Amino acid sequence: EAGVAQSPRYKIIEKRQSVAFWCNPISGHATLYWYQQILGQGPKLLIQFQNNGVVDDSQLPKDRFSAERLKGVDSTLKIQPAKLEDSAVYLCASSFPSPGRSSITYEQYFGPGTRLTVT
Amino acid sequence: KQEVTQIPAALSVPEGENLVLNCSFTDSAIYNLQWFRQDPGKGLTSLLLIQSSQREQTSGRLNASLDKSSGRSTLYIAASQPGDSATYLCAVPGGTSYGKLTFGQGTILTVHP
């Protein structure tokens, strides 16, 4: 089974430029997440999709970040314009409900991430 | 608001030692808890997922326990090896949302030969 794919793996841009990241989740996974991980911290959720609808975007800086998931499969995350503090690793994850012993679990599977450096 | 804390922030041990990583969370109403491993420059690899009804899970040399009432989980690594060197993160789903994970800041583990 192929894992979560992300591209590019690395990106260096200057502040005020724009950038886009792409994610292809595991086939059949209905839920897709974008996380931002700043150096030395744990990942923080930016946006969560269920199929092609947004479930949670409460921590997405909407003045500069946007995301879409057309047709409920691939997703793109865009930053425009970028700031120095956007330097981080952007992780995409996907999940699908799997039966547990006494509850439904939603184990998440992560891609390799895109490391963004804003200079 | 769920908060997750991991102790210690960094740990350096000689090869062969048994070690314990700690994770605590403020809201005990969780559905499960997940432990991840992250190698430098890489994404997250899921190690163990403990459901709220379970007390522990084992995979090879790894054993994770969960005590919901006290808001704690531990990851026990037996007979550590240099290949275990990585950052270990714990995460719990936030509130009633099944998906959104709240992560700790991680424990950086270095196992030296």
Side-chain angles (χ1 to χ4, degrees), chain A residues 72-87:
Chain A
V73 182
D74 294 5
S75 177
T76 57
L77 176 69
K78 298 179 181 177
I79 307 175
Q80 181 179 14
K83 293 185 175 181
L84 296 176
E85 58 261 37
D86 298 331
S87 294

Side-chain angles (χ1 to χ4, degrees), chain A residues 9-10 33 35 37 40-45 48 55-56 58-59 91 99-108 110-113 115, chain B residues 1 31-32 34 36 38 40-49 51-54 56 89 97-106:
Chain A
R9 291 295 313 280
Y10 306 93
Y33 315 81
Y35 290 87
Q37 185 178 24
Q41 299 180 18
K44 180 187 76 173
L45 181 75
Q48 176 184 346
V55 174
D56 185 345
S58 58
Q59 297 193 80
L91 295 163
R101 285 168 55 181
S102 61
S103 64
I104 301 298
T105 63
Y106 288 71
E107 188 167 2
Q108 293 187 26
F110 283 76
R115 182 175 297 277
Chain B
K1 177 185 172 185
Y31 292 94
N32 56 60
Q34 210 166 346
F36 293 89
Q38 186 173 33
K42 300 290 180 64
L44 277 65
T45 301
S46 179
L47 297 174
L48 291 164
L49 183 149
Q51 297 185 43
S52 60
S53 59
Q54 297 176 319
E56 62 179 60
L89 296 145
S97 168
Y98 278 65
K100 171 184 174 179
L101 290 177
T102 299
F103 284 84
Q105 75 278 25

Side-chain angles (χ1 to χ4, degrees), chain A residues 32 34 47 49 54 60 65-69 75-78:
Chain A
L32 184 147
W34 283 102
I47 189 167
F49 292 94
V54 175
L60 185 74
F65 286 65
S66 65
E68 61 181 8
R69 190 182 184 196
S75 177
T76 57
L77 176 69
K78 298 179 181 177

Side-chain angles (χ1 to χ4, degrees), chain A residues 2-3 5 13 19 27 29 31 44 48 52-53 57 60 62-63 65 72-73 77 82 87 90-91 93-94 103:
Chain A
I13 61 172
V19 65
S27 178
H29 281 198
T31 308
K44 180 187 76 173
Q48 176 184 346
N52 61 348
D57 63 356
L60 185 74
K62 299 181 184 64
D63 58 334
F65 286 65
V73 182
L77 176 69
S87 294
Y90 291 84
L91 295 163
S94 68
S103 64

Side-chain angles (χ1 to χ4, degrees), chain B residues 1 3 9 22 25 62 78 84 97 100:
Chain B
K1 177 185 172 185
E3 293 183 2
N22 297 291
F25 45 94
L62 304 180
D84 295 330
S97 168
K100 171 184 174 179

Side-chain angles (χ1 to χ4, degrees), chain B:
Chain B
K1 177 185 172 185
Q2 179 73 269
E3 293 183 2
V4 180
T5 304
Q6 291 186 246
I7 295 173
L11 185 61
S12 180
V13 300
E15 181 176 6
E17 273 204 7
N18 301 323
L19 52 98
V20 175
L21 308 182
N22 297 291
C23 172
S24 61
F25 45 94
T26 55
D27 185 350
S28 61
I30 61 171
Y31 292 94
N32 56 60
L33 183 144
Q34 210 166 346
W35 282 93
F36 293 89
R37 168 185 173 139
Q38 186 173 33
D39 293 286
K42 300 290 180 64
L44 277 65
T45 301
S46 179
L47 297 174
L48 291 164
L49 183 149
I50 311 176
Q51 297 185 43
S52 60
S53 59
Q54 297 176 319
R55 300 283 293 189
E56 62 179 60
Q57 276 277 27
T58 299
S59 176
R61 295 182 293 108
L62 304 180
N63 176 275
S65 66
L66 175 63
D67 184 344
K68 276 185 59 178
S69 60
S70 66
R72 295 176 188 271
S73 176
T74 60
L75 179 66
Y76 175 83
I77 303 177
S80 59
Q81 303 171 359
D84 295 330
S85 298
T87 297
Y88 291 81
L89 296 145
C90 68
V92 295
T96 58
S97 168
Y98 278 65
K100 171 184 174 179
L101 290 177
T102 299
F103 284 84
Q105 75 278 25
T107 293
I108 302 171
L109 174 64
T110 303
V111 181
H112 47 89

